[in-house]
Amino acid sequence: MLPRVRAPELPHNYSWFNTDKPLSLKQLKGRVIILDFWTYCCINCLHILPNLKYLEQKYKDSLTVIGVHSAKFDNEKETENIRQAILRYDVEHPVIVDSNFRLWEEYAVRAWPTLIIIDPEGYVIGQISGEGNRDTLDELIQKLIQQHQDKGTINFQELSLILEKQRQPLITPLAFPGKVLATQAGLFIADSGHHRLIMSSFDGEILHLIGTGKSGLTDGAFNEAQFFAPQGMAYDAENQILYVADTENHTLRRVDLKRQVVEAIAGTGEQSRSIHPHGGAGLETPLNSPWDLVKVGNTLFIAMAGPHQIWEMDLETSMIKTYAGTGAEACVDGSLTESAFAQPSGISTDGKELYIADSEVSSIRGVGIVEPYQVRTVCGSGGLFGFGDVDGQGEDVRLQHCLGVEFAQNFLWVADTYNHKIKLVSPSGNCQTVLGDGTAGLQDGQDKNSRFFEPSGLSVNGSYLYIADTNNHAIRRLDLNALEVTTLEFFGLCAPDVCIPPNVTATDFNLM
């Protein structure tokens, strides 16, 4: 615990979200305040959002949570990108943009996420870093409320806020699609913001809607099942089975297209708190934010973003365990057991190596699945702060929070997410920009004339590359021969419980 010191005031001239006017600590006197120092790339920051939401609901008449967004990556400094993250992750408390780390320094913060607790008289009385502290916070808030109720220094009154999701409802047909998978059976889309999966033809005809569109963890028929921000997928064509990383449910799901049912195959629904290599029976082993999948034979390999590891599941025995990574957040090459990753978020394979989009070190990694089972860095600096936008060779390459990778025709396609680009990487580490001019936008066209907005999923089928263009709420298609990008249209697709007439565009609703 910190000594009792007066909390530095919040700057009045900074950008705010989820409120119609700037807030001040003076104005909030009489309430318990939690300042959540976060950055939207950070998996640990995302993990504490449900805990904060729980506390906000429990103490809504006496607790105010304020997110202090202190950006790690250059792309995260843009206010529009922060607003999109608030919408994507359903953040419902006020957020201030901490330009130039002023508040970070004034509150002596050293790591993401860090929570600063301020009592109703405006004094800092605690600081907690990391995740998994809900019960500690709950106990502390109860104690503070009781103390200040006895002193007569608490003000019970619910705050009224205007949320970004009220200003900009997610009524586009797709909402923040995270991953896309192109197969001979059709196109699978993780419609992450709508908590569902979509199967379509390559011409845009909807074949299946899988999931109700409301977040939850429910097995059953396609129209009954529920997901929570699903991401990566892998397809078993022979058995018509789609495997899904149900990311915020911390589970793996199996979608049986013949029986048209969804069932969990791994994870308990609770987030694992262990970062050490371990494993067990699928449905008895807690997982931690599985983000992407690839199937090799009867093995499902998993980019497990939460513990910074690569996992494997034997689909015959249903056993699941750590494959590579110590659990440390770092970039360490070498053997499987000594290697380290940093929020791996994309995975693909050539049958000999897994290729990993290792997002927090902005690098592409190779992980051997045949002898000698080594981990290497294909390209990128390998450092937590070694990011940028530089083409070239090996460690000279700079990417910015890459989330997607796809092996096809002896090359790797990379979604260089925070640079708003698609790049082509050779397995030997040469990296070149193919699509995007580095400006966030939605623009079809050839080569670098096209524009994207935080693309994060890629999949090749035949002569086309499909791109989950996440913040544009769109699926884009690249003709690999003509190098021309077009945006796909999906006929009759609506947001859950909302249908926009066909002659009305998303721009009419101020959605783009």
Side-chain angles (χ1 to χ4, degrees):
M1 286 296 191
L2 294 177
R4 185 173 161 87
V5 294
R6 179 70 67 180
E9 186 54 271
L10 306 175
H12 69 277
N13 58 342
Y14 280 23
S15 297
W16 283 83
F17 296 103
N18 283 341
T19 173
D20 58 347
K21 59 183 180 298
L23 302 178
S24 69
L25 299 185
K26 182 180 179 182
Q27 163 196 350
L28 295 170
K29 195 170 181 181
R31 301 178 69 81
V32 179
I33 298 169
I34 295 177
L35 301 182
D36 171 28
F37 284 81
W38 69 302
T39 184
Y40 74 79
C41 68
C42 163
I43 192 76
N44 310 98
C45 299
L46 302 183
H47 284 160
I48 69 168
L49 291 176
N51 293 342
L52 294 175
K53 188 166 286 193
Y54 167 84
L55 296 169
E56 289 173 84
Q57 289 298 317
K58 185 172 181 179
Y59 302 106
K60 56 188 174 184
D61 62 349
S62 51
L63 170 69
T64 298
V65 175
I66 297 175
V68 182
H69 192 274
S70 307
K72 172 185 172 179
F73 289 100
D74 291 342
N75 183 65
E76 294 177 300
K77 296 174 183 176
E78 299 291 333
T79 53
E80 175 59 21
N81 300 350
I82 299 168
R83 190 170 71 90
Q84 292 298 323
I86 287 167
L87 289 167
R88 187 187 323 169
Y89 298 117
D90 197 23
V91 176
E92 295 182 314
H93 51 250
V95 173
I96 183 173
V97 179
D98 184 20
S99 301
N100 302 316
F101 278 68
R102 172 177 160 180
L103 286 168
W104 176 282
E105 291 170 358
E106 288 183 348
Y107 280 90
V109 174
R110 294 288 174 265
W112 296 280
T114 292
L115 302 175
I116 302 287
I117 300 92
I118 301 171
D119 74 11
E121 292 181 290
Y123 290 94
V124 174
I125 54 93
Q127 175 174 317
I128 301 175
S129 294
E131 49 178 289
N133 297 301
R134 192 183 88 172
D135 293 344
T136 303
L137 286 165
D138 199 347
E139 190 178 323
L140 178 58
I141 293 165
Q142 283 188 47
K143 187 177 173 183
L144 283 170
I145 290 171
Q146 187 61 55
Q147 284 177 354
H148 288 272
Q149 201 170 359
D150 294 344
K151 289 173 69 176
T153 50
I154 196 154
N155 176 22
F156 289 107
Q157 185 179 354
E158 192 172 339
L159 277 189
S160 178
L161 299 170
I162 297 178
L163 304 182
E164 298 306 312
K165 67 180 182 180
Q166 293 168 327
R167 291 192 178 104
Q168 181 180 341
L170 288 179
I171 58 174
T172 43
L174 296 173
F176 299 107
K179 300 290 182 183
V180 61
L181 181 64
T183 73
Q184 290 183 333
L187 196 62
F188 295 99
I189 302 163
D191 189 11
S192 309
H194 287 325
H195 311 292
R196 65 182 179 180
L197 306 171
I198 294 163
M199 182 183 181
S200 78
S201 72
F202 294 109
D203 296 326
E205 178 191 357
I206 303 302
L207 303 176
H208 292 294
L209 293 177
I210 307 168
T212 65
K214 297 188 185 304
S215 63
L217 178 53
T218 305
D219 287 344
F222 285 3
N223 62 352
E224 301 169 339
Q226 291 181 310
F227 301 86
F228 192 177
Q231 290 283 343
M233 300 160 287
Y235 186 60
D236 176 351
E238 183 180 348
N239 297 300
Q240 295 182 45
I241 299 288
L242 181 72
Y243 296 97
V244 182
D246 194 4
T247 303
E248 292 198 34
N249 275 325
H250 309 290
T251 62
L252 301 183
R253 313 288 288 279
R254 177 171 56 205
V255 177
D256 188 322
L257 291 167
K258 286 189 284 191
R259 294 167 50 225
Q260 296 193 16
V261 294
V262 177
E263 52 196 341
I265 59 169
T268 63
E270 298 293 325
Q271 181 191 348
S272 171
R273 296 297 177 192
S274 174
I275 62 167
H276 304 292
H278 64 286
L283 291 171
E284 297 171 10
T285 305
L287 307 180
N288 189 348
S289 292
W291 209 276
D292 201 7
L293 307 173
V294 70
K295 184 175 178 290
V296 181
N298 283 316
T299 300
L300 202 59
F301 286 101
I302 306 127
M304 200 75 75
H308 313 295
Q309 292 166 337
I310 309 304
W311 279 51
E312 63 175 330
M313 182 173 186
D314 186 319
L315 294 171
E316 288 186 347
T317 65
S318 295
M319 300 298 286
I320 192 167
K321 63 181 180 180
T322 310
Y323 181 74
T326 62
E329 185 178 13
C331 182
V332 178
D333 292 341
S335 70
L336 300 178
T337 54
E338 66 188 12
S339 63
F341 303 84
Q343 207 171 308
S345 303
I347 190 169
S348 189
T349 188
D350 63 0
K352 297 177 182 177
E353 276 186 300
L354 304 173
Y355 293 104
I356 309 297
D358 209 9
S359 63
E360 280 295 288
V361 287
S362 301
S363 299
I364 302 300
R365 314 287 297 283
V367 181
I369 52 176
V370 297
E371 291 280 2
Y373 301 107
Q374 291 291 297
V375 176
R376 67 188 179 103
T377 300
V378 178
C379 69
S381 77
L384 285 166
F385 291 88
F387 58 85
D389 185 4
V390 180
D391 292 347
Q393 179 66 37
E395 63 184 18
D396 295 331
V397 170
R398 293 292 179 269
L399 307 171
Q400 190 180 181
H401 197 70
C402 45
L403 289 176
V405 61
E406 170 77 337
F407 179 84
Q409 300 170 353
N410 299 317
F411 282 92
L412 299 166
W413 292 93
V414 173
D416 192 5
T417 306
Y418 284 3
N419 283 324
H420 315 293
K421 290 182 174 182
I422 307 299
K423 297 185 176 180
L424 194 60
V425 175
S426 70
S428 62
N430 184 270
C431 174
Q432 300 297 326
T433 298
V434 177
L435 303 175
D437 64 2
T439 303
L442 176 59
Q443 183 172 298
D444 289 342
Q446 287 192 302
D447 306 341
K448 298 173 187 177
N449 292 322
S450 54
R451 285 184 175 174
F452 305 85
F453 193 176
E454 293 193 10
S456 54
L458 303 172
S459 186
V460 169
N461 186 60
S463 58
Y464 292 101
L465 171 70
Y466 294 86
I467 302 160
D469 195 3
T470 303
N471 282 11
N472 276 324
H473 314 300
I475 302 298
R476 317 287 292 281
R477 181 172 65 191
L478 170 69
D479 183 322
L480 294 174
N481 297 317
L483 287 182
E484 184 166 2
V485 176
T486 53
T487 301
L488 295 187
E489 290 186 32
F490 297 95
F491 304 104
L493 181 64
C494 301
D497 303 323
V498 176
C499 214
I500 300 175
N503 60 337
V504 178
T505 67
T507 10
D508 294 319
F509 287 86
N510 192 27
L511 294 175
M512 305 306 283

